[in-house]
Amino acid sequence: FRNTIEPNRTEVGANVRFRFPLYASRDRSSQLVADQKRLEARRLQAQQQLLELRAELRARAVEIRVNREELIEVDGFLPTAARTVRQALASYSRGQGGASDALEAITTDFELRRHRLAVLLRLRLAEFEQFELANMAQIELANPAQNDLTDGSTSNENESN
């Protein structure tokens, strides 16, 4: 039935051709390849930076732990040092001890407290650095370099207009 021509039916035919410009030229294609290579290089760079940040975070965690342990140790000596100062000053005031003994006890107590402050400063600095590194890592994870092609050579066609 289909191969037969029907006399009352008119048939109209037309050929239509469309060109879809997937790439305007080879320049556009090479620009796309260059953009993809740049994007991959930035992705690898961001991945490397993230690995370095994680290593720094681990190092800061170790530093924090060591400083906390040292702070606990120093804090254990402080009551003894303070008691030694009181005893040395009491002995000196009663005339039973020399001034050098009292001065040595005071100096030891002062050096111990100074050392405690230095350890506390190192601890707080390491905690701050760890906080900053963690923020940097979160920013890096939240904003991966996949969408970043802003090194000055963008392939935006609107720039040429």
Side-chain angles (χ1 to χ4, degrees), residues 45-58:
Q45 182 184 17
Q47 188 177 19
Q48 180 63 33
Q49 287 173 340
L50 191 58
L51 290 173
E52 290 170 5
L53 284 172
R54 287 179 177 161
E56 283 292 322
L57 280 169
R58 286 190 296 273

Side-chain angles (χ1 to χ4, degrees), residues 141-157:
L141 288 172
N143 300 316
Q146 294 176 9
N147 298 325
D148 186 21
L149 289 176
T150 58
D151 67 349
S153 61
T154 60
S155 63
N156 190 353
E157 293 177 16

Side-chain angles (χ1 to χ4, degrees), residues 32-48 144-149 151:
L32 182 62
V33 170
D35 286 348
Q36 288 173 338
K37 286 181 181 179
R38 211 170 19 259
L39 183 64
E40 180 62 17
R42 288 198 179 166
R43 186 191 67 76
L44 291 173
Q45 182 184 17
Q47 188 177 19
Q48 180 63 33
Q146 294 176 9
N147 298 325
D148 186 21
L149 289 176
D151 67 349

Side-chain angles (χ1 to χ4, degrees), residues 4-149:
T4 61
I5 299 176
E6 297 177 18
N8 294 335
R9 185 170 181 188
T10 14
E11 291 188 25
V12 177
N15 284 331
V16 179
R17 294 177 98 190
F18 289 103
R19 292 185 93 177
F20 295 105
L22 295 177
Y23 300 104
S25 67
R26 287 185 181 254
D27 292 337
R28 176 71 178 126
S29 177
S30 63
Q31 182 65 38
L32 182 62
V33 170
D35 286 348
Q36 288 173 338
K37 286 181 181 179
R38 211 170 19 259
L39 183 64
E40 180 62 17
R42 288 198 179 166
R43 186 191 67 76
L44 291 173
Q45 182 184 17
Q47 188 177 19
Q48 180 63 33
Q49 287 173 340
L50 191 58
L51 290 173
E52 290 170 5
L53 284 172
R54 287 179 177 161
E56 283 292 322
L57 280 169
R58 286 190 296 273
R60 289 302 148 272
V62 168
E63 188 176 345
I64 288 169
R65 183 179 45 81
V66 167
N67 284 319
R68 282 183 179 158
E69 289 171 357
E70 187 173 356
L71 192 61
I72 290 169
E73 184 178 341
V74 169
D75 283 346
F77 293 125
L78 283 175
T80 304
R83 188 172 41 254
T84 303
V85 168
R86 285 192 304 274
Q87 289 172 350
L89 288 174
S91 294
Y92 176 71
S93 66
R94 288 189 306 257
Q96 296 173 346
S100 62
D101 292 339
L103 189 57
E104 184 178 332
I106 292 170
T107 302
T108 301
D109 183 64
F110 174 79
E111 288 298 319
L112 191 58
R113 290 176 190 279
R114 186 200 57 77
H115 181 69
R116 181 185 187 282
L117 288 175
V119 171
L120 188 60
L121 179 63
R122 286 195 314 263
L123 173 63
R124 294 301 181 235
L125 183 60
E127 288 172 341
F128 176 75
E129 288 173 349
Q130 184 184 44
F131 176 76
E132 287 294 309
L133 288 168
N135 283 339
M136 289 171 59
Q138 285 179 342
I139 290 169
E140 187 66 34
L141 288 172
N143 300 316
Q146 294 176 9
N147 298 325
D148 186 21
L149 289 176

